[in-house]
Amino acid sequence: MLLASKYSLPDCPEHTLQRPRLLSLLEQSTSDQLLLVTAPAGYGKTTLVASWASEQDNPVAWVSLDSGDNEPGQFCRYLVESVHRATGNGVPETRKMLAAQQMPDPALVISQLLAELRQLPSELRIVLDDYHQIDNPEIHDATRFLLRHAPAGIGVVITSRSQPPLGLGALRLQGRLLELSSEDLALTTEETTQLLARRLPFTLGSDRVAQLHQLSEGWPPAIQMFALSVRNREEVDRYLGELEQGHGHILDYLAEEVLERLDPDLRQLLARTSILTRVNGLLAERLSGQSSGQQQLELAASRGLFLQAQDSSRQWFRFHPVFARFLQRQLGDGDELTKLHQTASDTWQELGQPLEALRHALAAEDRERVRRLLDEQGEQFLREGQFRVLNDSLSWLGEDQLKRHAPFTLLAARLARDSFDYERCNKLLATAESWLQRESPEHWQAYEGAFAAMRAQVSVAKGQILKAKEYATEALELLSPDSDSERIAAQLVIGETSFCLGELDQAMLNMEAVEQATLARQDIPSAAWAQCQQTEIAFAKGLLKKAAALQARAQRLVEDHHLVGLPISEFIYRLKGQLQWEACDLDGAAESARRGMQINRKMGERWLLPEYTLLLKVALARGDKDESLEWLERVDQLLAGESYHRDWVANADSARMRVWRALENFEAIATWQEQAEPVADRPSNHFEQCHGRNHVRALISLHRWSDANRLFSRLQQLAEECGLVTDQLRNLVLAAHLAWLRERREQALHHIKAALAIMLESDLTASFLQVGKPLIVILKAALEETGELALDEARAEKAQQLIKLAQQQPELGGGIRIELDETIVREILASDAVPDFLRHSPLTPREWQVLNAIHSGLSNERIARHFKVAPSTIKTHIRSLYQKLDVKDRQQAIALAEQLLRSVQDKP
């Protein structure tokens, strides 16, 4: 008796994710090719091929194989029955032959089958599903015979967890093999997003989708388990944490589908090597105690055991992270695991991989190995951004060990500084200095200059600029000429202090000197850092083309030296994203932010604040309210739980302020204004200027316009003194808006004209658009101006470009916010959107202003306070308005105003 389900095309699950990119590849296959789909368990091989087969015009014969089909007669019976039914009883003679033989000869059966298939009027595909169940050489020979002698129009499709022994090399050379692997079948980020959108009761943020995709590497069961397990946003982080440690249901699945099928020796080798990030033959032999490590790894990879070759010579392999965590659960704790880690540490050291050696020394809790590796490689680890393993190692050694060994103190201090924990950094330095001065004065003397350089770096990060310069100067006096890294650190601080003090030309000279010195000693990360600092200086001076060239040079430098994964690359992508955002390249800015996130995520989420901020700014520019609120929540969480450099905080606050203003969350603005640090007496750098503008925006929103104007004057005076051209433009645009709100038209147009002059020289664009739709009104008024404030041809052209950009820029939530003046009123009256009765019975200027105030949601009392008149006067204006507009109530007036204002705001 044959089971019909084994020779029938399986039904696709109801909620199958359509995968057009893979189906199109299958469609490209020809009937004279073997279509081979190989991947470990769970990658959806059967579902994919079944989806494709169900859409074919020509017949498809399907055979679902299992371990019972290893008997040649059984294999042939199912194959022939499937072909017979798929072709409309097309191979009756082959079927009779099989029925007459108790022990059929597979070669004869296949020969007869092919003879009958030559008579078929249409093409046929034969699918052998789960071919990894077959290990009988006779069946392999029969399948090879089928592939070799199949007539034109008869194609074979095989799905398998392992590479079948079917002479694939020859087929590949003949161009008769089309292969799909686990890399092809893994869900992409886009497919993961689509699947989750269909399964989850809420929208998952793009960064959480990326995190899930990174942890699962697109393995469908892990993503499907996520969709089944997570019921609300609060459970997302819990599941991701479980996935990182090894989710119970996934472990059960792997145990049933994979582990039970392995022989003991291979199971032991895989389990013992699963503690490695990657493995080769030598490591496999050392950890397993078995010979033939290379052959065993190749066997495991060929059998589809979640082991992927990392190079073309197949010397190095890597476990899928989910499978690695599963295998690690098979290892016990105690002495055996400690010895495995010690063996791994020594072998990695032998292979010239000290970071891997340190990881395993720490896992083995081997104090001597950890100390030795930190002594030899600590500085290099720091340059490579290996903060987590360094921090774990130093924390495990303990405070007493740190203070007794100056190099360890400096490593720990640099880690604390880079984590913005300046208090701990100073405490480490003070404790070690005190101990060394008492117990080992000679040792202290050798490291005094390095401690001064470290204190200089902490001081500049805290904004103690003059103190930082003193420490850096002292460090250069104390350090010996051969103390290259410390001397470069001190020189960098001197350059940074010049930048912070507004001495931009001197800062550029200092950074160029540092770049040359670091390139000379092949300290590529420090050279790239100096180039990034030059990029920021050029940007601050409004030299966007130069800034872009410097950023590109830094990017080429790290790419040429294969250092793209280091923290310096995050800085480079961050700068690129800022330049792209300024040029209104929102897609490019978002992509750069995500590239930076990929680099910094390994250091912890707290390091993603700049990227979250940039993505919030992109969402704002797109008018995407939901995404803006999502990124705002992430930014708020990080700012509430961590300490950061003033630069990061000011940028984040700037984006937050825009969301609050757009959503009219004046309570949040007032709270921020009360709690935020005051503006520096001398805001002589870009981040103090940014922080100052945040205060100006808050004061404007809270109608404290006189305070805002005084603060603007101080900001602009320092920006001009220090040559901060970009900040000058941003200040002027904000000041123009403030003057317009205060109905000081001439002052507003003066500011906007000055800002346009800067734009002509700098191409700053996004900075001009930050006040939103009110910019349209101000620019249109400027274009109509005559006399001293009239715009020349070049500025007028820029103004027109900016108006178009501002009109295309959506408001968050779709609102309309324009302060009306006579220019806009004339444009409204000239538009097709205005009713005829308004042309015959025009509104007075005050009535237009009252209509705009009604549209903005202001009450009669608020409108009266704004215009400084009695509420009764406003009521008189409103009655007149309703009569002229032919409306009955406030809602009808708002709807009409919406129609009129949108004709100006969103004019293409």
Side-chain angles (χ1 to χ4, degrees):
M1 293 292 294
L2 298 181
L3 296 174
S5 61
K6 285 174 56 64
Y7 57 73
S8 304
L9 183 68
D11 293 329
C12 292
E14 182 180 352
H15 299 293
T16 298
L17 176 70
Q18 293 301 311
R19 308 186 72 184
R21 68 178 178 89
L22 296 179
L23 292 172
S24 66
L25 290 175
L26 298 184
E27 288 294 342
Q28 293 170 21
S29 65
T30 60
S31 59
D32 64 341
Q33 287 180 311
L34 167 62
L35 177 54
L36 179 62
V37 183
T38 57
Y43 274 94
K45 303 179 292 294
T46 300
T47 301
L48 173 67
V49 176
S51 296
W52 166 79
S54 66
E55 299 296 324
Q56 298 305 296
D57 295 330
N58 294 317
V60 176
W62 187 285
V63 184
S64 296
L65 299 169
D66 56 41
S67 57
D69 299 319
N70 262 305
E71 193 276 312
Q74 180 87 333
F75 176 84
C76 289
R77 290 185 187 93
Y78 274 112
L79 173 62
V80 170
E81 188 66 21
S82 176
V83 171
H84 186 63
R85 290 175 180 270
T87 55
N89 302 329
V91 290
E93 296 304 320
T94 310
R95 202 162 177 255
K96 288 178 184 177
M97 176 193 293
L98 267 175
Q101 298 178 2
Q102 281 191 328
M103 300 288 290
D105 182 341
L108 289 175
V109 172
I110 298 297
S111 295
Q112 177 62 37
L113 178 70
L114 295 177
E116 288 193 272
L117 288 178
R118 286 188 177 89
Q119 311 305 317
L120 281 181
S122 63
E123 292 187 352
L124 170 72
R125 293 295 179 95
I126 300 171
V127 178
L128 302 176
D129 187 38
D130 284 347
Y131 194 85
H132 57 271
Q133 300 280 4
I134 303 301
D135 56 20
N136 189 320
E138 283 190 72
I139 298 178
H140 291 322
D141 289 342
T143 306
R144 274 196 294 270
F145 187 86
L146 172 64
L147 292 172
R148 189 179 306 120
H149 297 290
I154 308 301
V156 178
V157 182
I158 290 177
T159 74
S160 177
R161 294 183 184 178
S162 57
Q163 290 276 315
L166 301 175
L168 299 180
L171 291 173
R172 194 176 286 116
L173 288 174
Q174 295 166 14
R176 294 186 54 215
L177 178 63
L178 178 63
E179 298 176 88
L180 295 183
S181 67
S182 59
E183 291 184 6
D184 301 305
L185 270 66
L187 295 175
T188 64
T189 304
E190 292 74 22
E191 289 169 337
T192 300
T193 302
Q194 292 173 21
L195 189 151
L196 295 177
R198 290 167 54 179
R199 301 284 184 86
L200 292 178
F202 60 92
T203 301
L204 189 67
S206 54
D207 68 316
R208 284 295 185 263
V209 172
Q211 188 177 356
L212 173 61
H213 191 264
Q214 181 182 19
L215 288 171
S216 65
E217 292 192 356
W219 187 47
I223 296 166
Q224 291 165 346
M225 194 67 68
F226 178 91
L228 291 170
S229 303
V230 175
R231 291 164 294 183
N232 52 57
R233 294 180 187 277
E234 288 68 34
E235 294 183 346
V236 170
D237 288 337
R238 174 188 58 77
Y239 180 90
L240 293 176
E242 289 178 0
L243 180 58
E244 194 163 12
Q245 298 303 315
H247 192 283
H249 295 317
I250 292 176
L251 299 183
D252 293 342
Y253 173 85
L254 290 171
E256 294 168 5
E257 291 291 325
V258 180
L259 196 64
E260 292 178 0
R261 305 168 188 264
L262 302 182
D263 63 75
D265 284 348
L266 183 55
R267 184 186 305 183
Q268 182 194 61
L269 181 141
L270 293 176
R272 290 184 172 182
T273 56
S274 67
I275 65 172
L276 303 167
T277 55
R278 59 190 188 281
V279 58
N280 67 357
L282 176 63
L283 283 160
E285 291 173 1
R286 294 278 178 85
L287 269 68
S288 69
Q290 302 176 27
S291 58
S292 305
Q294 181 66 26
Q295 291 87 333
Q296 287 279 64
L297 291 173
E298 290 179 1
L299 173 64
S302 69
R303 290 181 60 181
L305 294 176
F306 295 88
L307 197 66
Q308 297 176 335
Q310 296 296 283
D311 55 356
S312 58
S313 61
R314 300 179 69 81
Q315 297 297 306
W316 286 95
F317 296 84
R318 182 182 71 87
F319 287 104
H320 190 288
V322 175
F323 190 52
R325 290 188 285 273
F326 162 70
L327 289 171
Q328 289 161 19
R329 293 290 186 95
Q330 315 308 312
L331 295 170
D333 296 326
D335 293 341
E336 180 187 6
L337 190 57
T338 297
K339 288 178 181 177
L340 281 176
H341 282 298
Q342 288 173 332
T343 301
S345 179
D346 293 342
T347 309
W348 278 120
Q349 186 79 333
E350 184 180 329
L351 291 169
Q353 298 291 327
L355 179 64
E356 298 291 347
L358 177 60
R359 286 196 177 107
H360 289 286
L362 186 60
E365 297 186 349
D366 190 312
R367 189 172 297 274
E368 183 54 40
R369 282 182 171 87
V370 170
R371 282 182 57 90
R372 185 180 70 249
L373 286 162
L374 287 178
D375 262 334
E376 295 172 356
Q377 301 290 334
E379 283 292 325
Q380 182 62 27
F381 294 154
L382 200 59
R383 280 196 293 272
E384 293 173 357
Q386 304 298 340
F387 296 163
R388 280 187 175 178
V389 69
L390 267 178
N391 188 61
D392 291 345
S393 301
L394 292 167
S395 298
W396 181 73
L397 285 176
E399 300 290 319
D400 189 61
Q401 286 288 316
L402 297 188
K403 75 179 182 183
R404 294 168 180 268
H405 194 52
F408 290 175
T409 299
L410 290 167
L411 277 176
R414 287 181 66 179
L415 279 173
R417 180 209 64 189
D418 291 342
S419 300
F420 313 106
D421 191 350
Y422 307 127
E423 184 177 345
R424 170 165 170 73
C425 185
N426 284 327
K427 182 179 178 182
L428 285 165
L429 295 172
T431 302
E433 178 181 358
S434 177
W435 191 89
L436 290 169
Q437 292 243 29
R438 290 196 316 270
E439 306 295 334
S440 183
E442 291 183 2
H443 200 195
W444 163 248
Q445 190 174 1
Y447 284 93
E448 186 177 1
F451 274 52
M454 186 71 253
R455 284 176 166 135
Q457 294 174 69
V458 173
S459 297
V460 76
K462 291 179 67 177
Q464 298 169 338
I465 308 303
L466 296 178
K467 188 176 182 181
K469 200 164 190 176
E470 291 172 359
Y471 273 130
T473 303
E474 179 186 357
L476 291 173
E477 293 172 356
L478 292 169
L479 289 166
S480 61
D482 59 350
S483 300
D484 290 336
S485 60
E486 289 84 3
R487 294 187 70 85
I488 286 171
Q491 289 166 349
L492 272 171
V493 169
I494 289 176
E496 287 184 64
T497 57
S498 296
F499 189 13
C500 292
L501 291 170
E503 301 166 355
L504 301 187
D505 292 338
Q506 183 59 49
M508 184 66 84
L509 291 173
N510 289 336
M511 292 304 175
E512 288 171 349
V514 171
E515 178 190 349
Q516 294 303 315
T518 50
L519 286 174
R521 65 187 294 264
Q522 283 298 292
D523 182 357
I524 303 305
S526 296
W529 183 269
Q531 290 173 349
C532 288
Q533 293 288 340
Q534 293 172 56
T535 302
E536 288 206 305
I537 295 168
F539 188 87
K541 296 175 73 172
L543 305 173
L544 266 65
K545 291 181 180 178
K546 182 175 182 178
L550 286 163
Q551 183 278 332
R553 192 170 77 188
Q555 187 168 337
R556 284 196 303 272
L557 183 65
V558 298
E559 289 174 352
D560 290 346
H561 288 82
H562 310 291
L563 302 177
V564 174
L566 298 193
I568 183 60
S569 289
E570 183 275 334
F571 191 6
I572 291 170
Y573 280 117
R574 191 195 324 158
L575 292 173
K576 184 175 184 178
Q578 291 169 359
L579 288 164
Q580 290 167 321
W581 177 82
E582 185 62 48
C584 298
D585 177 7
L586 301 182
D587 291 340
E591 175 61 21
S592 294
R594 297 189 191 285
R595 294 288 295 271
M597 286 168 64
Q598 289 175 359
I599 296 166
N600 262 10
R601 190 179 293 282
K602 63 186 178 184
M603 294 156 52
E605 188 178 21
R606 65 164 306 186
W607 297 92
L608 304 182
L609 179 62
E611 282 71 33
Y612 285 2
T613 299
L614 182 52
L615 288 168
L616 173 55
K617 290 166 70 175
V618 169
L620 274 164
R622 288 173 172 160
D624 190 327
K625 182 177 179 180
D626 290 339
E627 191 163 345
S628 295
L629 291 175
E630 182 181 332
W631 290 118
L632 176 65
E633 182 181 359
R634 295 282 171 77
V635 170
D636 286 345
Q637 288 173 351
L638 291 184
L639 289 174
E642 303 285 354
S643 298
Y644 294 102
H645 188 277
R646 187 72 160 267
D647 191 2
W648 288 17
V649 175
N651 275 316
D653 284 345
S654 175
R656 295 163 81 204
M657 189 72 64
R658 286 194 59 212
V659 179
W660 295 334
R661 286 168 52 220
L663 300 180
E664 298 183 352
N665 188 351
F666 300 115
E667 182 180 350
I669 294 174
T671 300
W672 179 90
Q673 207 278 328
E674 291 171 5
Q675 298 177 353
E677 292 186 26
V679 181
D681 292 338
R682 185 176 168 78
S684 54
N685 51 65
H686 63 284
F687 51 87
E688 293 293 358
Q689 286 273 323
C690 181
H691 182 61
R693 279 191 300 277
N694 291 337
H695 272 279
V696 170
R697 292 188 183 98
L699 293 168
I700 290 174
S701 296
L702 299 174
H703 282 245
R704 293 171 55 185
W705 292 348
S706 296
D707 291 339
N709 193 61
R710 282 192 295 273
L711 179 51
F712 155 73
S713 298
R714 175 150 57 101
L715 291 174
Q716 190 64 0
Q717 179 185 346
L718 265 296
E720 291 173 358
E721 285 182 15
C722 300
L724 297 167
V725 175
T726 299
D727 288 295
Q728 289 177 47
L729 179 137
R730 292 172 175 175
N731 293 342
L732 285 166
V733 174
L734 189 59
H737 184 211
L738 174 58
W740 194 264
L741 290 172
R742 302 177 79 187
E743 299 183 3
R744 298 183 178 180
R745 176 190 176 94
E746 185 174 331
Q747 189 181 72
L749 297 182
H750 172 79
H751 290 320
I752 212 71
K753 183 178 180 181
L756 286 168
I758 293 174
M759 188 182 179
L760 288 175
E761 301 296 327
S762 65
D763 284 332
L764 290 159
T765 302
S767 293
F768 229 112
L769 301 173
Q770 294 315 290
V771 297
K773 300 299 182 183
L775 179 67
I776 299 171
V777 184
I778 302 171
L779 288 171
K780 287 189 173 185
L783 287 168
E784 288 201 349
E785 191 62 36
T786 58
E788 185 181 343
L789 291 174
L791 301 182
D792 57 30
E793 184 178 348
R795 277 185 258 204
E797 184 179 350
K798 285 292 183 186
Q800 295 283 11
Q801 293 172 4
L802 287 166
I803 288 171
K804 289 180 181 179
L805 288 171
Q807 288 172 331
Q808 294 164 6
Q809 188 175 26
E811 285 284 347
L812 204 62
I816 307 278
R817 290 178 181 83
I818 294 183
E819 290 83 20
L820 296 181
D821 83 326
E822 57 194 45
T823 304
I824 299 299
V825 169
R826 284 198 300 272
E827 188 165 342
I828 289 174
L829 291 173
S831 74
D832 295 335
V834 68
D836 287 337
F837 58 76
L838 259 184
R839 294 191 178 92
H840 301 307
S841 181
L843 304 182
T844 66
R846 177 63 82 195
E847 287 170 344
W848 277 109
Q849 292 171 340
V850 171
L851 176 61
N852 193 36
I854 291 173
H855 172 266
S856 299
L858 300 184
S859 66
N860 289 358
E861 292 73 16
R862 283 279 304 277
I863 298 172
R865 287 201 302 272
H866 176 75
F867 291 117
K868 299 177 181 177
V869 297
S872 58
T873 304
I874 295 300
K875 288 180 181 179
T876 301
H877 285 308
I878 291 174
R879 280 196 297 270
S880 176
L881 260 178
Y882 287 0
Q883 184 177 0
K884 290 181 178 180
L885 296 175
D886 192 23
V887 299
K888 296 179 181 179
D889 55 30
R890 183 177 285 258
Q891 290 305 314
Q892 288 186 0
I894 290 172
L896 180 58
E898 182 91 5
Q899 174 187 341
L900 298 176
L901 293 175
R902 192 170 291 283
S903 70
V904 177
Q905 170 175 287
D906 296 333
K907 185 177 179 181

